[in-house]
Amino acid sequence: MPNTAKSDSLRSTQQAGAAFLPIHDVLVDIRSAINQQSQLIIEAPTGAGKSTALPLAMLSWPEINGKILMLEPRRVATRNVAQFIAKQLGQPVGQDVGYRVRGDTNISQQTRLEIVTEGILTRMIQHDPELTGVAVIIFDEIHERHLPTDLGLALALEVQQSLRDDLTIIAMSATLSGLSLSNVMPDARQINSQGRSFEVQHQYLPCPSQQPWLVHMARVINDTVNDASLAEYQLGSVLAFLPGKGEINKLARLLNERLDSSWLICPLYGDLPPAEQDRAIGLTEPGKRKIVLATNVAESSLTIEGITIVIDSGYRREASFNPKTGVTRLGLKRISQASAVQRSGRAGRLAPGYCVRLWSQEEHGRLRKVDEPEISLSELTSMALDCANWGAKSFSELSLLTPPPAIHEQVAWQLLQQLALTDPQRKLTSLGHEAYALGCHPRLAHMLLKAKHLAHAESQPQLCVLACVLAGIIEARGLPKKGADIHHYLGEALHGQIKQQVRQWQQSLGVSGSVQNAISQASTRDVSYLLALAYPDRIAKARGQDGFLLSNGTGVVIAADDSLAHEPWLVVADFQETQGRNAGQVYLAARFDDRLFNDELKALVTQQVQGGWDEVKGRFFAEKQTKIGQIIIKTETGIAPERAQITAALLEQVRVKGLTILNRDDALIQLQYRVELARFYAPEHNWPCLTDAHLLASLSDWLGPYIEQVNSLAALAKVDTYGLVKNSLSWQQQTLLEQLVPTHWLMATGTRAPITYQMPLDENGHFYHSDAEQGRALLSVRLQEALGMAQSPSILQGKMIVTMALLSPAQRPLAVTADLASFWQGPYVEVKKEMRGRYPRHLWPDDPVNTVATKFTKKKTPGL
């Protein structure tokens, strides 16, 4: 049992110390800065009080004439910070201090400080670009780099620059490491505060290779709280960091088996009800200790009372968007060094702390320094809709801390256009404006609005109510496990948070009707039609034992015992890709009625004539394919291929089989090598890339226009490939190439000795672009013709020494050297001794450097 007196003393220390925070030392500087300029960057480590004491102090500054908005990265922290500050004022939440998160608002007319989650600010700016009544915006914990924070900051900066030069923007972070705030806020005043923390002792206990890491973590927690040598750290409670809800629940069961009733096991994650969150965050009753099992919601912003020990799994669940499949892949990833510091710092808030890291110290040194920002990993469709509503046609028009991957942005805009929410110029359509007003994911907004149109145009109000039900289920968190069929979850819309959300959407859409009736009347056709409106790229066709093929070309699988496993068609609302699996796992779907292709969804169906090469019959063919995305619904054969299809089939054969099916002779290979060397050593001349990979990628440009009369693979092999590739160079470049990287070297005897270029090859026989410096120029010539040369020749304006292959009179190799001067002084002596007897009629002088070169025998050489 813990020492109760010491525990109570710790509680008193914490309560008394709440008024003395390091941020107080810089409040005068902050206040002065706010009076002088409109942008401020504050770096304040964990425990400084920036999230609580600073906004509390600002409420008393009369020069702040308006409301203060403070953004928190998580809902749990938003509620907690608002409650703490209100308590300091002796008020309930909702008076001077309030909060807003999605689905939960507690503010009033007198509220002067609003704590909001990040996405709320974006909506506020879009609704009122002048932010009427707002004087200050504080971006707290900006180092966490959540996507809504980056977007909110970019929009706020634009508002400040164009509409509200009196608006003050404050960016606060525990660390500025890895942040590029100075790029978007170059004129901001920076103020640094000290943190308030005690020393934390670190212990590294990696998991044994044969043991599950959760079992190891449970044992470490049990050993740590019962180890008598750690008594000085056992005055408070324990905070354990885990990647997600599933691991938290499993660890809770393992700990309940090991620990007695004096311990409270408190989960803490975003979906937890507020009352249970408060239980995890608040102080325990005297004589009790708790173990908080938390995700990274507890990493920053959130103060959990009484923690002196941290047990860190070192894992986080990281979501990364896959643009090829249009879905976000979840993976278990190691945290960054910055996150590890934040987590361990939680143990040193009140007294000296103790942190156990479940990885090795050597591995710690190999962890990435900081986490990647969400904008580099996330799906960006909602952000693109925000961008379009703001009037921007590209993310580059916004002052973002980090630009997103170009392919992620491209996929987002393409989906918006596919859903008819934007036009080809990336302007919002009328449907897009309505979709943005709904405030849900663009896919669901498209489904809801199309259903609303049907409700009015075809008197089917129950279809719109059903759409609200489906959207509520798809957006819900923590659904019970009832298989993949979404029909099994329709009843969840009759109670709880889903019921509330369905009702809100009904009000927004202006459609009435009984949810119970809509559920009871829901048919497979109706459900699949509505889901296809949201997920047209996820209509799926069975492909035997290999699961299903989505219309976007992605393969997915479903549990073998699921009721949908043997359906011919599905429409998939939710699937996840995970590390180590080739196909995504379906979690939510519905049977699909393929008769919809003939009527309601006929706009998704395309027809095209596809040509190709039949390997078995050795001829070209063409067929008419009826498709939904990448899925072929029907094929009609016996169609004569057109010229464009034959050309496309020829190019595809080259792509599949490689350049070897063309007339790729030595001259072409040498040209590729020579140009690559020129690109490496003389890049100022803008040489084109002629590597195999580039030529294959650009076949349509350099080969396509010249095979319009080619009708067979045999004729294709006779095309002058060398000439076509050479014409990629301008006349000036061809002339310069011969000067810099010649094919021959003019010897003193008049012989044009050939130079062969060599490059290192990969396992597929392609040369490495990055290894051009390892290439070699090999000049082959009879030794007698090299007489009189003191040094090896050089090319590329002296940047590359030519290697000489010196041949016997019978054209046999005698020596290979890139240092001719050393060869004459050393190895040549032995060569001379051996060759004089074998080729007595040829010249083997004792002083080769001062001997005139010859290509004749001694008898025909003048002067001999």
Side-chain angles (χ1 to χ4, degrees):
M1 288 290 292
N3 186 318
T4 303
K6 287 185 177 180
S7 296
D8 291 343
S9 174
L10 182 68
R11 288 156 51 89
S12 300
T13 299
Q14 186 223 340
Q15 292 168 344
F20 304 100
L21 295 167
I23 199 71
H24 289 141
D25 293 335
V26 294
L27 286 181
V28 173
D29 294 337
I30 294 173
R31 186 172 183 179
S32 173
I34 289 176
N35 285 323
Q36 295 173 12
Q37 55 199 107
S38 59
Q39 294 181 358
L40 182 60
I41 298 172
I42 299 174
E43 183 176 30
T46 298
K50 63 182 182 299
S51 304
T52 52
L54 174 58
L56 176 62
M58 291 172 68
L59 285 172
S60 65
W61 296 350
E63 60 267 34
I64 297 180
N65 186 24
K67 185 176 292 186
I68 302 169
L69 295 180
M70 186 165 78
L71 277 72
E72 289 296 333
R74 296 181 177 87
R75 289 178 294 174
V76 179
T78 301
R79 291 178 55 254
N80 184 248
V81 169
Q83 290 168 354
F84 181 86
I85 298 175
K87 185 177 180 181
Q88 304 307 302
L89 294 172
Q91 299 177 354
V93 175
Q95 294 186 11
D96 283 343
V97 182
Y99 69 83
R100 278 201 270 184
V101 300
R102 186 176 180 185
D104 185 11
T105 299
N106 194 346
I107 59 173
S108 65
Q109 289 291 329
Q110 73 180 70
T111 300
R112 294 184 295 134
L113 170 63
E114 280 190 33
I115 319 296
V116 302
T117 46
E118 304 148 311
I120 298 292
L121 174 66
T122 301
R123 286 268 154 185
M124 292 176 70
I125 294 175
Q126 296 272 21
H127 178 71
D128 176 17
E130 293 190 0
L131 287 176
T132 307
V134 175
V136 180
I137 304 176
I138 303 173
F139 291 85
D140 193 19
E141 308 295 358
I142 201 168
H143 66 275
E144 293 196 14
R145 298 300 310 279
H146 291 184
L147 182 59
T149 304
D150 283 14
L151 177 59
L153 177 62
L155 295 182
L157 289 170
E158 191 163 326
V159 167
Q160 184 188 63
Q161 182 179 7
S162 57
L163 300 172
R164 287 285 311 280
D165 57 2
D166 63 324
L167 179 68
T168 299
I169 296 177
I170 302 175
M172 301 198 303
S173 176
T175 174
L176 296 179
S177 175
L179 274 173
S180 53
L181 279 171
S182 59
N183 292 339
V184 297
M185 302 172 67
D187 300 323
R189 167 91 177 273
Q190 182 174 328
I191 295 175
N192 296 80
S193 169
Q194 298 297 312
R196 187 188 70 170
S197 61
F198 294 85
E199 183 180 352
V200 176
Q201 178 184 338
H202 294 93
Q203 175 81 343
Y204 293 87
L205 294 175
C207 179
S209 58
Q210 301 302 318
Q211 190 176 55
W213 69 266
L214 270 176
V215 174
H216 173 65
M217 190 170 187
R219 181 181 61 79
V220 169
I221 292 174
N222 182 65
D223 292 348
T224 301
V225 300
N226 291 300
D227 187 344
S229 68
L230 301 175
E232 64 176 304
Y233 306 116
Q234 294 171 352
L235 303 178
S237 295
V238 179
L239 172 60
F241 283 99
L242 294 108
K245 175 182 174 181
E247 290 85 1
I248 286 174
N249 290 336
K250 289 177 184 177
L251 184 59
R253 290 194 293 269
L254 291 171
L255 291 176
N256 281 323
E257 296 171 359
R258 290 168 166 78
L259 300 173
D260 59 41
S261 59
S262 66
W263 289 96
L264 297 176
I265 310 298
C266 301
L268 181 59
Y269 48 85
D271 295 342
L272 208 60
E276 292 188 49
Q277 292 177 2
D278 293 341
R279 178 170 175 262
I281 293 168
L283 285 167
T284 58
E285 59 189 82
K288 285 277 190 179
R289 291 172 68 197
K290 67 183 175 184
I291 299 176
V292 179
L293 308 181
T295 61
N296 55 5
V297 300
E299 217 171 89
S300 58
S301 298
L302 196 63
T303 298
I304 302 176
E305 308 291 3
I307 299 299
T308 53
I309 295 175
V310 165
I311 312 293
D312 189 357
S313 70
Y315 288 115
R316 68 192 293 256
R317 185 150 282 110
E318 186 174 273
S320 59
F321 179 66
N322 183 350
K324 292 183 179 179
T325 61
V327 74
T328 298
R329 173 180 296 172
L330 291 177
L332 205 60
K333 301 285 187 180
R334 276 296 187 195
I335 61 174
S336 65
Q337 292 183 23
S339 285
V341 170
Q342 287 287 319
R343 292 182 176 190
S344 66
R346 292 287 160 181
R349 285 287 189 94
L350 312 174
Y354 183 74
C355 174
V356 182
R357 290 170 170 167
L358 303 185
W359 62 94
S360 68
Q361 192 163 6
E362 183 272 335
E363 184 181 0
H364 183 79
R366 291 188 280 107
L367 296 178
R368 54 189 170 181
K369 299 298 181 183
V370 295
D371 292 316
E372 284 193 71
E374 280 189 359
I375 197 170
S376 299
L377 303 171
S378 298
E379 188 234 0
L380 301 175
T381 310
S382 293
M383 184 173 174
L385 189 64
D386 264 305
C387 203
N389 191 70
W390 189 245
K393 299 178 181 179
S394 169
F395 294 171
S396 62
E397 296 179 26
L398 303 176
S399 298
L400 294 168
L401 286 169
T402 303
I407 184 62
H408 289 200
E409 180 178 358
Q410 179 184 342
V411 168
W413 288 111
Q414 286 174 346
L415 179 58
L416 290 182
Q417 188 174 340
Q418 183 182 7
L419 297 174
L421 303 184
T422 60
D423 63 19
Q425 287 72 46
R426 297 183 176 178
K427 289 184 178 180
L428 278 189
T429 61
S430 58
L431 189 68
H433 283 287
E434 293 183 74
Y436 186 81
L438 284 178
C440 55
H441 192 280
R443 288 181 181 272
L444 300 183
H446 181 258
M447 174 183 72
L448 292 168
L449 292 169
K450 286 293 186 180
K452 173 187 175 181
H453 173 76
L454 289 170
H456 293 301
E458 302 181 19
S459 300
Q460 298 186 56
Q462 80 285 352
L463 199 62
C464 189
V465 177
L466 179 59
C468 295
V469 169
L470 294 173
I473 292 168
I474 292 168
E475 279 209 336
R477 299 184 178 186
L479 287 172
K481 293 184 178 180
K482 298 181 180 181
D485 192 344
I486 201 169
H487 283 84
H488 297 161
Y489 300 91
L490 298 181
E492 299 295 320
L494 298 174
H495 51 80
Q497 192 171 357
I498 300 180
K499 177 182 178 181
Q500 181 182 349
Q501 181 64 75
V502 169
R503 187 173 299 156
Q504 288 177 2
W505 275 328
Q506 282 188 266
Q507 292 173 352
S508 298
L509 294 167
V511 61
S512 59
S514 166
V515 173
Q516 177 68 66
N517 289 343
I519 292 173
S520 62
Q521 296 173 17
S523 66
T524 295
R525 187 183 182 93
D526 289 343
V527 171
S528 62
Y529 173 46
L530 291 172
L531 290 182
L533 291 175
Y535 304 99
D537 54 334
R538 296 187 190 173
I539 296 171
K541 184 179 182 181
R543 53 179 187 181
Q545 299 297 318
D546 295 326
F548 293 81
L549 176 68
L550 300 185
S551 55
N552 66 11
T554 303
V556 295
V557 295
I558 196 167
D561 58 351
D562 194 277
S563 60
L564 298 179
H566 303 292
E567 292 294 322
W569 289 89
L570 298 178
V571 56
V572 177
D574 182 28
F575 77 98
Q576 292 290 338
E577 293 182 327
T578 53
Q579 291 173 313
R581 294 184 180 177
N582 295 326
Q585 180 71 39
V586 175
Y587 291 108
L588 209 56
R591 297 173 182 84
F592 181 79
D593 189 339
D594 61 340
R595 292 175 296 179
L596 290 164
F597 292 143
N598 301 322
D599 192 1
E600 291 95 329
L601 296 178
K602 61 183 178 182
L604 297 179
V605 179
T606 61
Q607 289 186 333
Q608 66 182 59
V609 176
Q610 183 74 32
W613 174 261
D614 190 324
E615 289 283 0
V616 177
K617 297 181 180 179
R619 61 178 176 83
F620 294 101
F621 70 92
E623 59 186 23
K624 186 177 183 181
Q625 296 177 346
T626 302
K627 303 174 72 176
I628 169 73
Q630 299 298 311
I631 298 174
I632 300 175
I633 302 173
K634 183 174 62 174
T635 300
E636 298 176 39
T637 59
I639 299 172
E642 298 178 357
R643 178 65 249 174
Q645 292 160 353
I646 294 175
T647 300
L650 287 169
L651 295 178
E652 184 60 24
Q653 285 296 298
V654 179
R655 293 188 187 99
V656 171
K657 297 179 180 178
L659 297 173
T660 54
I661 73 169
L662 299 173
N663 181 20
R664 190 188 185 217
D665 55 15
D666 288 341
L668 173 56
I669 295 172
Q670 287 295 298
L671 177 65
Q672 289 179 278
Y673 291 173
R674 292 167 63 209
V675 170
E676 198 62 21
L677 288 169
R679 279 164 50 83
F680 184 83
Y681 287 104
E684 66 274 12
H685 297 294
N686 298 318
W687 306 98
C689 181
L690 299 184
T691 62
D692 289 5
H694 181 82
L695 290 178
L696 286 170
S698 57
L699 285 173
S700 299
D701 298 328
W702 66 269
L703 180 61
Y706 302 99
I707 57 173
E708 291 298 325
Q709 305 302 318
V710 175
N711 292 306
S712 67
L713 294 183
L716 182 65
K718 297 178 181 178
V719 171
D720 180 16
T721 311
Y722 169 77
L724 295 179
V725 174
K726 186 177 180 180
N727 286 337
S728 300
L729 304 173
S730 66
W731 181 86
Q732 292 85 350
Q733 285 176 325
Q734 292 181 34
T735 303
L736 184 61
L737 184 68
E738 188 57 40
Q739 295 171 4
L740 294 175
V741 198
T743 58
H744 294 78
W745 189 267
L746 183 61
M747 305 300 294
T749 59
T751 297
R752 295 182 71 249
I755 300 178
T756 303
Y757 294 90
Q758 300 171 340
M759 301 284 279
L761 303 179
D762 63 16
E763 64 274 10
N764 297 315
H766 304 302
F767 62 87
Y768 292 105
H769 172 77
S770 60
D771 284 351
E773 61 182 330
Q774 297 181 24
R776 184 171 77 159
L778 184 66
L779 187 156
S780 298
V781 68
R782 285 181 296 180
L783 183 145
Q784 283 73 21
E785 295 194 65
L787 296 173
M789 295 178 65
Q791 300 288 343
S792 300
S794 64
I795 59 173
L796 288 157
Q797 297 176 330
K799 296 176 182 177
M800 187 176 194
I801 302 298
V802 175
T803 299
M804 298 189 72
L806 299 173
L807 310 177
S808 72
Q811 304 287 334
R812 302 282 196 294
L814 294 178
V816 177
T817 180
D819 187 352
L820 189 59
S822 296
F823 171 76
W824 292 137
Q825 294 173 10
Y828 171 69
V829 176
E830 296 301 320
V831 171
K832 176 182 62 174
K833 288 179 182 179
E834 182 180 350
M835 291 296 107
R836 272 180 171 171
R838 184 174 300 180
Y839 300 102
R841 293 190 299 171
H842 290 78
L843 195 59
W844 304 98
D846 295 330
D847 186 5
V849 175
N850 294 307
T851 301
V852 177
T854 181
K855 56 182 176 180
F856 304 111
T857 62
K858 288 188 288 185
K859 182 178 180 180
K860 294 183 180 181
T861 299
L864 292 179

